[in-house]
Amino acid sequence: MSHSTKPAKPQAKLSHIRNIGIAAHVDAGKTTLTERILFYTGAWHKIGEVHDGAAHMDWMAEEQEHGITITAAVTRAPWRGHVLQVVDTPGHVDFTIEVERSMRVLDGVILVLDGVRGVEPQTETVWRQRNRFGLPVLFFINKMDRPGADFLRSLSDIRERLGVEPVAITVPLGEQGAVIDLLHKRLLRFAGEQGEEVISEACPEPLWAQVAALHEALLLAVAEEDDSLADGILAGEEPDTELLLAALRRGTLAGRLFPCYGGSALRNLGVQPIIDAAVDLLPAPLDRPPGRAERPDGETEEVVLGNDGPLVALVFKVQMWDGRRHCFTRVYRNRLKPGDKVAFIGADGRSVSEHVARIFDIDAGRKTKLEQADPGQIVLLAGLRHASTGDTLCAVDHPLSLERIETRKPVLSLAIEPAAGTDEEKLLEALDKIEQEDPTLQVVEDPETGQRLLRGMGELHLQIVLERLEREFQQRVRSGRPAVAVRETVTASASAQIHYTRPPSPDGKQPEATAWVALSVAPRPRGEGSVVSVAPEVRPEGAELTPEQRTALEQGLGLGLTAGPQQGAPVEDVSVKLTAVELFGPASTPDALAAAAARALGKALAEAGAALLHPVMRVEVVVPEDNLGTVLGDLQQRRAEIQSTAIRDDSASIGCEVALKALLGYATELRSLTQGRGQFTMQFERFDLV
């Protein structure tokens, strides 16, 4: 990582900015595509290859070593008078939070597909994340130089698995090192040492005949989008290219059209057209609908991007940089300058004020000082000690909260302890810093064993954390075998009552506390979460519960759900109803009510057929066709629920659901069963009885 103090270039006009993300399933070629974008736009002077560990965007040592993207990296690239702010996101499911929080601040997405494998499991995950934020999408069907790559089959995959209609714009001719541009009716060749020279020529008739049906499909898609062009198109006329492009842009921004480009980033084939498309078809910040923010009084406020109105900016990521805490932030309204005082509403609902010390422009692992951050910009802020992922920075006298970023709960844990000679205090400090960066990572203490547990999204996630502890913080740890994080639930209804009493302390400082509570519990459908209620009709004899007492009872019930009777794991999918309460004058303090509610709930849970819920993963295994039978047999031994099998070009894919516990160490076993040729991906589906 490096940092320079030269002044950054002045902010481009909002209409000339494109905040875009590049996302895909792992190993589809996102980073390779990003490297070409940087090279062809002149933002970077050479192409860095992922397989050489030299990619500009994969700047972390762990990324270079493992050959995958782990952290979302931000950079800028100039093209045709516009500025592309590009975020290269990870494709591995263990780092899906990086995609989630990047999508939250982007305006559009280039979704990369492997031309051989089409839509893969993580492609579908990214697609669901993109849907949540309603982002316009361009598809880049990559690796079209590979044997088995099929552009038309990839289009069919998009149609079937993502449920949208793809519109082909460039058709790759891998063997000729060219693409056919259906929009301009041109053949594009890519010459020069790195494919930097685009040679455009009229498309020969025999080649055009092969793609005429795709050109027709493009025209019909535009006809549906633009009534003024429809009559001419249906009458067989060829509309003006500019009008076609304008209609295509409207459809793309509205999420009705999904332009598809083909090529091979590694072979420098077909990349420049997708950069053109980012400018021509993806939205500028002002093309996106206004954001909605909530005031402390519960009222909503529309946040229109621009200079008018009090400050609104969103922290979407925290990262330790040169040992200091930095916040990746997107500015939505007004401006930020070094020294500005900002406020945010913390997770506990209280307002916190801090000062922004410095502002930086970001280029992957390098940063450049800025004098101010303008609306639409993605910048790095230094000096904020408490702001964390999802916090909305706002003017001190105008507090607001934009929609927060969803984080998933960890499903795997490792028992860790300092290795010989490692300072425990320094280790805890290092773990705290990594935990601040990554909301899907948790460091907790097992209440039964006293062991320290590191919880994360998968084996690779935890492995990377241990590597970073040693490399960045010089902290070595010993770790046990990975253990699956479980939840608890109930399988039957039950009720319980308890009379809680705490005698006064001998010194008289703590008076007697007592309360009586009755409640019932019942199971809820899987995945629906727990519901806690203190019914309005619940009242002690001859009295009313005060709001403070009602809150104390609800807090006690909430506390009771944090640890179930079997393994002390959080309790899910349970309905808890407090049915009666008795007060004993001043002795029934809020603390006494909370303790009585928690203990009554613990007793009811123990009598309601407590059961463990294990994380169930959605898995796709891809193996050579010859190994299909062996791998299916092994999965059935692991009690997998097989949902689909498909064979394509001597390769078989198996879709199934399996308990995570049965998948620990599966990567090694699968390599052994397939002579190193099989691979699998998994993502968390739900907690369930196994």
Side-chain angles (χ1 to χ4, degrees):
M1 283 184 266
S2 64
H3 132 228
S4 91
T5 53
K6 66 180 182 189
K9 290 171 188 167
Q11 167 78 340
K13 284 192 303 187
L14 283 172
S15 60
H16 286 59
I17 290 176
R18 301 288 182 270
N19 286 316
I20 58 171
I22 299 188
H25 183 94
V26 66
D27 202 31
K30 298 172 308 303
T31 303
T32 305
L33 176 64
T34 309
E35 293 295 317
R36 266 64 187 176
I37 291 173
L38 292 180
F39 179 71
Y40 295 143
T41 57
W44 195 236
H45 62 279
K46 65 172 184 174
I47 292 176
E49 300 295 10
V50 175
H51 52 263
D52 295 332
H56 176 62
M57 299 301 280
D58 285 349
W59 56 269
M60 281 176 70
E62 287 75 19
E63 293 179 312
Q64 291 162 4
E65 190 176 317
H66 290 271
I68 59 168
T69 302
I70 291 166
T71 182
V74 182
T75 191
R76 303 178 90 192
W79 190 250
R80 287 173 34 202
H82 291 66
V83 173
L84 310 180
Q85 290 194 133
V86 182
V87 180
D88 177 28
T89 65
H92 198 286
V93 69
D94 282 15
F95 309 106
T96 193
I97 181 63
E98 292 285 333
V99 185
E100 184 81 24
R101 54 191 180 184
S102 299
M103 293 269 190
R104 178 68 183 76
V105 296
L106 293 170
D107 298 325
V109 180
I110 296 174
L111 195 49
V112 184
L113 300 191
D114 181 323
V116 180
R117 302 163 70 99
V119 173
E120 299 177 83
Q122 190 65 6
T123 320
E124 295 182 81
T125 304
V126 169
W127 184 254
R128 285 194 293 273
Q129 290 170 317
R130 164 263 156 206
N131 282 346
R132 191 173 307 135
F133 301 117
L135 297 177
V137 174
L138 303 177
F139 285 98
F140 183 69
I141 299 169
N142 193 26
K143 304 192 178 184
M144 288 306 301
D145 58 311
R146 297 267 180 102
D150 189 325
F151 186 70
L152 293 180
R153 190 174 61 203
S154 296
L155 296 180
S156 170
D157 250 14
I158 292 169
R159 197 175 290 115
E160 288 167 22
R161 294 185 66 172
L162 304 182
V164 295
E165 191 57 43
V167 182
I169 308 292
T170 63
V171 183
L173 306 169
E175 67 287 350
Q176 295 188 33
V179 302
I180 299 172
D181 179 347
L182 299 176
L183 202 60
H184 300 90
K185 287 187 156 184
R186 307 290 288 175
L187 182 70
L188 306 179
R189 298 187 187 280
F190 303 89
E193 200 175 317
Q194 307 277 13
E196 66 275 15
E197 195 184 327
V198 183
I199 300 166
S200 171
E201 55 193 59
C203 186
E205 278 303 323
L207 280 180
W208 186 252
Q210 292 174 27
V211 297
L214 287 173
H215 177 67
E216 188 67 23
L218 164 61
L219 294 180
L220 290 174
V222 168
E224 280 194 28
E225 192 56 44
D226 191 324
D227 291 342
S228 65
L229 296 178
D231 291 343
I233 288 172
L234 296 173
E237 295 168 17
E238 189 72 34
D240 182 73
T241 305
E242 291 305 311
L243 295 175
L244 270 181
L245 199 58
L248 202 53
R249 177 180 175 80
R250 282 195 298 276
T252 305
L253 296 192
R256 291 188 293 268
L257 296 183
F258 298 89
C260 297
Y261 293 76
S264 167
L266 188 63
R267 298 283 168 255
N268 308 314
L269 170 66
V271 175
Q272 288 92 331
I274 193 92
I275 313 177
D276 280 332
V279 167
D280 293 333
L281 303 178
L282 288 180
L286 293 172
D287 294 324
R288 297 285 293 144
R292 301 198 75 75
E294 192 175 302
R295 298 181 191 146
D297 61 8
E299 292 293 309
T300 58
E301 178 177 318
E302 202 172 70
V303 177
V304 178
L305 195 130
N307 294 317
D308 299 332
L311 173 74
V312 177
L314 184 75
V315 175
F316 66 95
K317 178 175 168 175
V318 173
Q319 189 163 312
M320 296 300 156
W321 203 318
D322 302 332
R324 292 191 178 86
R325 195 175 189 275
H326 291 73
C327 296
F328 282 80
T329 304
R330 175 158 184 201
V331 182
Y332 286 90
R333 194 168 69 188
N334 213 300
R335 291 186 166 88
L336 260 177
K337 292 183 178 177
D340 280 357
K341 189 176 184 182
V342 297
F344 61 89
I345 299 166
D348 58 1
R350 288 186 298 185
S351 182
V352 182
S353 297
E354 298 198 82
H355 281 92
V356 175
R358 284 177 298 285
I359 302 175
F360 298 100
D361 192 23
I362 327 135
D363 174 18
R366 295 143 45 111
K367 55 186 186 179
T368 309
K369 268 191 183 178
L370 287 175
E371 294 307 313
Q372 71 175 30
D374 294 298
Q377 249 183 312
I378 292 173
V379 293
L380 199 59
L381 305 181
L384 301 179
R385 292 187 300 142
H386 304 291
S388 60
T389 298
D391 285 337
T392 303
L393 305 182
C394 45
V396 177
D397 58 356
H398 196 88
L400 288 173
S401 288
L402 291 162
E403 179 194 353
R404 290 197 77 84
I405 294 167
E406 275 186 33
T407 59
R408 297 181 186 180
K409 294 195 175 89
V411 292
L412 206 61
S413 62
L414 275 180
I416 58 167
E417 60 179 41
T422 299
D423 184 328
E424 184 157 6
E425 255 184 52
K426 284 185 177 171
L427 174 61
L428 286 175
E429 200 178 295
L431 284 168
D432 177 58
K433 286 179 176 176
I434 295 179
E435 213 178 345
Q436 286 182 46
E437 289 186 3
D438 186 347
T440 59
L441 191 75
Q442 289 177 1
V443 181
V444 296
E445 201 166 281
D446 187 319
E448 289 182 12
T449 64
Q451 282 182 309
R452 190 167 289 116
L453 300 177
L454 184 64
R455 289 183 174 162
M457 300 304 290
E459 290 180 90
L460 180 62
H461 187 201
L462 296 175
Q463 180 190 341
I464 296 292
V465 171
L466 297 182
E467 287 177 17
R468 285 190 61 198
L469 282 171
E470 189 166 341
R471 183 184 60 82
E472 281 180 44
F473 302 97
Q474 292 76 52
Q475 299 297 311
R476 294 184 62 239
V477 298
R478 283 198 294 268
S479 59
R481 283 175 56 78
V484 171
V486 295
R487 300 284 186 268
E488 298 191 30
T489 193
V490 297
T491 55
S493 299
S495 54
Q497 57 186 52
I498 209 155
H499 187 171
Y500 167 79
T501 302
R502 188 191 66 211
S505 61
D507 59 8
K509 287 183 180 176
Q510 203 172 42
E512 181 189 13
T514 183
W516 180 89
V517 163
L519 52 76
S520 63
V521 299
R524 297 192 79 218
R526 198 63 57 239
E528 291 203 1
S530 294
V531 172
V532 171
S533 65
V534 179
E537 62 272 15
V538 170
R539 47 170 62 88
E541 201 173 317
E544 288 283 341
L545 284 175
T546 66
E548 190 182 11
Q549 289 169 331
R550 200 172 280 278
T551 301
L553 288 164
E554 287 171 354
Q555 285 175 342
L557 296 177
L559 185 67
L561 289 174
T562 59
Q566 287 207 328
Q567 289 190 11
V571 180
E572 292 197 350
D573 302 337
V574 174
S575 165
V576 183
K577 191 171 185 181
L578 193 131
T579 51
V581 62
E582 194 175 332
L583 302 180
F584 299 87
S588 292
T589 61
D591 283 354
L593 287 166
R599 292 190 183 191
L601 178 53
K603 188 177 173 187
L605 291 172
E607 293 171 7
L612 291 181
L613 295 172
H614 286 262
V616 172
M617 314 302 283
R618 186 152 64 91
V619 178
E620 180 163 74
V621 188
V622 179
V623 297
E625 189 182 349
D626 298 347
N627 301 122
L628 176 60
T630 315
V631 172
L632 274 172
D634 178 72
L635 284 168
Q636 279 156 351
Q637 279 188 327
R638 295 170 193 269
R639 299 190 176 183
E641 189 179 301
I642 309 296
Q643 294 174 325
S644 66
T645 57
I647 294 171
R648 181 189 281 180
D649 299 332
D650 303 328
S651 163
S653 66
I654 306 160
C656 58
E657 286 186 352
V658 199
L660 177 60
K661 194 173 185 179
L663 290 169
L664 296 182
Y666 183 57
T668 308
E669 184 64 27
L670 183 63
R671 278 197 294 271
S672 161
L673 291 172
T674 61
Q675 295 78 49
R677 293 160 67 204
Q679 53 179 303
F680 80 104
T681 54
M682 65 177 181
Q683 66 187 67
F684 174 71
E685 188 68 16
R686 65 184 181 280
F687 281 98
D688 212 337
L689 298 166
V690 174

